[in-house]
Amino acid sequence: MTAELVRGQNHPLSQARLEIRISAATPIVAVAALGDENGRIHGVEWVAHPGAPTQPGLEVSRQAAADHRLAVDLDAVPEAVHRVSVLLALPVGGTGPIRFGAVAAPFAAVTGLDGGEVAGYTITGLDAESAVVALELYRRQGAWKVRAVGQGYAGGLTELLTDQGLPQAHQLAGSINDAVARGVARSVQAPPSRTADGDRSRQAAAPALGPDQGGTAPQPGPVPPLSPYGDQTPGGPEQPAPQQPSYPGGAPDSNAVAQPSAAGGPIDYSHPRRRNAAPPPPPPTAPPAAPGQPARPVAGDATGWSMEERLYNQVWGMFEDLARTTAAYRSAVDFAESRMDKELEQVLSDPRSRIGGQGDAAREAARARHAQLVARAREALDRDLAQLEAEADVVEPALPAAYARWDNPVWHAYRVPMEIPMALRLGDLHLPEADRIRIPMLARLPLERGLWIDSGAAGSSDGSFTDSHAMSRLAMETAIAHAARLLAVYPAGEFTVHVIDPAGSGAQSLAPLVQTGVLAAPPALGAAGVTDVLGRLTQRVDLVQMAVRGGAADSLPPGFDTSQQLLIVNDFPHGFDDRAVNQLRYLADEGPAFGVHLMMVADREESSAYGPLLDPLWRSLLRLTPVADDHLADPWVGHAWTYEPTLVPPGSQILQQVLAQVAAARTKFT
């Protein structure tokens, strides 16, 4: 499985003989340098470049090219070598671009000799730089790893090699440029631009050509659906992964034959017997932008067979872009701090620099370089955030009801849908560096796991809610908002809601559901009500499970309700005995696969008497909070995303209006 790295991320290497593949939109120079345990290059003999392409354990290309393959044998490098750095630079003195910011982001991949990709890294965030440290293979405790570096240098190879500690940096950079100039006639030109579906991030990262290239701004490409969550750990829940789009008229036929057009034009690859299957409508295109300016965003510019699917993919593309640019900024800040610490350590290690003005000057210079690096990283981050904010401003108003916030005007034109949407909005996600950008948190339908609305005081990241009664009330209101949204996005009669409220403490919050008549039955009260509802839903899961596994799904009893079922449980574990607890665990584990979903409003501390018995229950549920909290883990780049629920605005009657339409449609259906 290929690891897609971001700046600063590392990945273990299990092979010693590797190939580094570089792809760029313009001919570039590839160099490999050996370094000691401190990353310093001892001499020109430790650098493989076009003028000296072979060094112990290294072999690079002899000329500038758009695609490179560098051979690395980690077992053959000298014992003193602890790092192998892959350096990229733009040729000087030619007619090509003079800064990486004027071309699409280069891509570096580490592969085995069999061609299997081990790790890949798209080098984004470059602007005025003309040289960059792309990757670094380093030895740690006898094992080799690869790290995505992405550190650029506006001063070209000379500045880069100087920063790597090479005394002859200026002379070596000149030798490399001379060797490239001699072979420029044999340089491989850039391949044709690829517009494959799913390559949105790289196309979006490609800035417009500046005046020095005389180009025009590229248009945004399609957006791949991305789900940021992996397997859940306590406090880090999972987001269901997006499914592949369906094909109108069936899947593509492997027997389809290419049909030449009558006029000798483009070949028609459609199946001769499927001419009536209309292709998906093209996504909207952005108006052309001025040269040197990023393309103006358009809602629905992602791939998909419908506008709903395009918006879904675009939202997750925005999530990916925000995660990547924030990771790049954090990595750059970490690099700047580690570099400053290293420089200060070198100053303090020399007794001569501890006294007098020499040490003070060195410390001030180190701090100035740190401030400069951080400022450049922040500038790149602000540029990316401005583009993302502009995209969010056009996407949010275009979202359908299932994806929209409750204050979106689309709810005022609500009509009961005829089919189930792709996904449902559960809240908003944001990061501290981009607090003004809210990414909709979309979950695929039908839900693949239950929901847990945490009513504990610990659910508030700022500790503002210390009153347990206030938290319980707000948690119940959050649950009602989620339940109402689920009822609203399903067709009439295809979604049923049950409520267990043993002590009746949620009566006030449940009023919108009860008064509009959208519940299957009044909320169950007391231990008897708990036993009755859990018994019926458990029996339902057993029956459907046996029918499906026995291949007799069409043999269910006459009048069997085939709609999706949602059980809201309030004030757990009040009113639950051991049997009821086991039934609840069973519904959480087996229910989603057979149409029964669980939504618990509970404080985990109140059920601590059960000990580890309930740990599997909490882990099986997607934990949400009634207040903003940074509990959602992102194992892709290590971010902790802050989640905020989507609540009905105070004083708004939109919830009652939507539920009234749902109840009226349900009455007509029955």
Side-chain angles (χ1 to χ4, degrees):
M1 181 177 179
T2 304
E4 185 176 353
L5 305 179
V6 296
R7 186 178 298 178
Q9 190 176 7
N10 58 50
H11 187 74
L13 298 174
S14 59
Q15 307 176 49
R17 302 184 65 187
L18 302 165
E19 189 174 71
I20 311 295
R21 299 185 179 184
I22 307 296
S23 300
T26 186
I28 60 175
V29 182
V31 178
L34 304 176
D36 59 17
E37 57 186 2
N38 295 319
R40 297 178 62 85
I41 304 174
H42 286 195
V44 294
E45 68 278 4
W46 277 33
V47 181
H49 57 86
T54 304
Q55 297 295 348
L58 300 176
E59 184 174 359
V60 302
S61 304
R62 297 176 178 267
Q63 61 189 23
D67 292 287
H68 290 270
R69 294 192 175 187
L70 286 64
V72 178
D73 187 352
L74 298 175
D75 289 338
V77 300
E79 189 66 26
V81 172
H82 289 261
R83 298 187 189 182
V84 179
S85 300
V86 178
L87 319 177
L88 307 178
L90 293 170
V92 299
T95 59
I98 59 175
R99 58 187 181 90
F100 274 111
V103 297
F107 178 74
V110 180
T111 69
L113 296 183
D114 58 354
E117 190 170 315
V118 178
Y121 172 43
T122 303
I123 311 168
T124 58
L126 300 178
D127 188 9
E129 297 86 347
S130 59
V132 60
V133 181
L135 297 173
E136 180 182 78
L137 313 182
Y138 65 98
R139 178 159 44 192
R140 181 71 54 82
Q141 296 179 350
W144 285 91
K145 296 183 178 182
V146 58
R147 177 188 290 121
V149 180
Q151 176 61 42
Y153 296 84
L157 278 173
T158 301
E159 182 182 357
L160 188 156
L161 294 171
T162 301
D163 191 54
Q164 298 279 325
L166 180 64
Q168 308 92 342
H170 184 76
Q171 295 87 337
L172 180 59
S175 301
I176 295 175
N177 293 330
D178 292 342
V180 171
R182 289 194 299 268
V184 72
R186 303 191 307 274
S187 296
V188 181
Q189 297 302 314
S193 59
R194 293 168 290 186
T195 58
D197 291 347
D199 202 21
R200 173 187 190 275
S201 60
R202 292 195 178 100
Q203 294 185 26
L209 296 179
D212 50 343
Q213 280 76 46
T216 58
Q219 301 301 318
V223 124
L226 171 68
S227 178
Y229 307 110
D231 293 339
Q232 180 194 7
T233 56
E238 174 188 11
Q239 175 72 21
Q243 300 174 358
Q244 295 298 323
S246 59
Y247 294 89
D253 195 329
S254 60
N255 296 322
V257 181
Q259 302 291 332
S261 64
I267 295 177
D268 183 5
Y269 286 93
S270 61
H271 196 287
R273 293 189 300 275
R274 294 182 182 166
R275 302 284 180 157
N276 58 344
T285 57
Q293 297 296 324
R296 285 177 285 179
V298 172
D301 71 343
T303 58
W305 291 93
S306 65
M307 188 62 173
E308 178 191 10
E309 186 178 359
R310 292 175 194 157
L311 288 169
Y312 175 86
N313 292 339
Q314 186 173 12
V315 165
W316 283 116
M318 292 165 58
F319 177 95
E320 179 187 4
D321 292 344
L322 180 56
R324 179 181 289 112
T325 191
T326 305
Y329 170 73
R330 293 180 180 179
S331 177
V333 172
D334 291 342
F335 174 82
E337 291 178 352
S338 62
R339 175 173 174 171
M340 182 179 66
D341 292 342
K342 179 180 177 181
E343 292 177 351
L344 293 177
E345 183 180 355
Q346 291 177 348
V347 171
L348 295 176
S349 63
D350 187 357
R352 294 171 298 178
S353 63
R354 296 178 185 174
I355 57 176
Q358 182 180 0
D360 294 339
R363 282 188 286 269
E364 288 299 326
R367 295 188 181 98
R369 282 190 291 269
H370 170 268
Q372 182 183 17
L373 289 175
V374 172
R376 288 171 55 189
R378 186 70 211 191
E379 181 182 356
L381 175 67
D382 291 340
R383 183 178 63 247
D384 293 342
L385 293 184
Q387 183 71 6
L388 276 173
E389 188 173 9
E391 185 173 10
D393 289 342
V394 299
V395 168
E396 187 68 43
L399 295 177
Y403 301 174
R405 287 194 290 256
W406 284 109
D407 58 357
N408 193 310
V410 70
W411 284 107
H412 293 280
Y414 168 77
R415 294 294 182 269
V416 177
M418 300 299 294
E419 58 184 23
I420 303 173
M422 287 183 58
L424 181 84
R425 186 172 190 158
L426 294 178
D428 294 334
L429 301 172
H430 65 91
L431 292 170
E433 291 85 353
D435 188 66
R436 63 183 183 272
I437 299 178
R438 297 294 191 271
I439 305 296
M441 178 180 173
L442 304 180
R444 292 300 296 263
L445 292 178
L447 295 174
E448 297 181 5
R449 62 192 302 185
L451 303 178
W452 166 30
I453 315 300
D454 190 356
S455 61
S460 174
S461 59
D462 57 3
S464 57
F465 278 86
T466 56
D467 184 0
S468 61
H469 295 291
M471 280 295 292
S472 298
R473 177 184 54 79
L474 190 57
M476 197 61 187
E477 292 176 357
T478 304
I480 299 307
H482 289 316
R485 185 183 290 267
L486 283 165
L487 282 165
V489 302
Y490 271 83
E494 294 193 18
F495 198 82
T496 304
V497 177
H498 309 267
V499 177
I500 291 179
D501 187 20
S505 59
Q508 182 178 356
S509 300
L510 289 168
L513 300 181
V514 175
Q515 294 172 0
T516 54
V518 294
L519 294 180
L525 302 175
V530 172
T531 302
D532 176 61
V533 174
L534 290 179
R536 285 188 286 110
L537 291 179
T538 301
Q539 186 179 16
R540 173 191 173 87
V541 172
D542 288 338
L543 184 60
V544 177
Q545 190 178 60
M546 288 188 295
V548 171
R549 292 178 177 175
D554 55 349
S555 301
L556 293 170
F560 185 84
D561 183 8
T562 58
S563 66
Q564 298 283 311
Q565 309 286 312
L566 175 68
L567 173 60
I568 302 177
V569 178
N570 184 37
D571 206 16
F572 177 81
H574 181 80
F576 282 74
D577 55 17
D578 291 344
R579 175 180 173 83
V581 169
N582 288 332
Q583 289 177 322
L584 194 67
R585 289 183 54 188
Y586 175 75
L587 291 178
D589 293 337
E590 302 293 337
F594 301 101
V596 177
H597 309 279
L598 189 61
M599 182 185 294
M600 292 189 60
V601 182
D603 180 1
R604 186 172 182 174
E605 294 298 323
E606 294 182 359
S607 60
S608 58
Y610 287 93
L613 177 67
L614 292 181
D615 286 350
L617 172 65
W618 304 117
R619 286 196 297 266
S620 67
L621 303 174
L622 176 61
R623 177 176 175 255
L624 304 176
T625 54
V627 293
D629 188 70
D630 57 352
H631 68 280
L632 287 178
D634 177 8
W636 182 50
V637 289
H639 295 330
W641 292 79
T642 298
Y643 164 83
E644 288 185 9
T646 53
L647 300 176
V648 179
S652 174
Q653 298 298 314
I654 192 64
L655 188 67
Q656 287 79 359
Q657 296 173 13
V658 170
L659 290 178
Q661 291 196 43
V662 172
R666 181 177 177 180
T667 302
K668 295 178 182 179
F669 177 81
T670 56

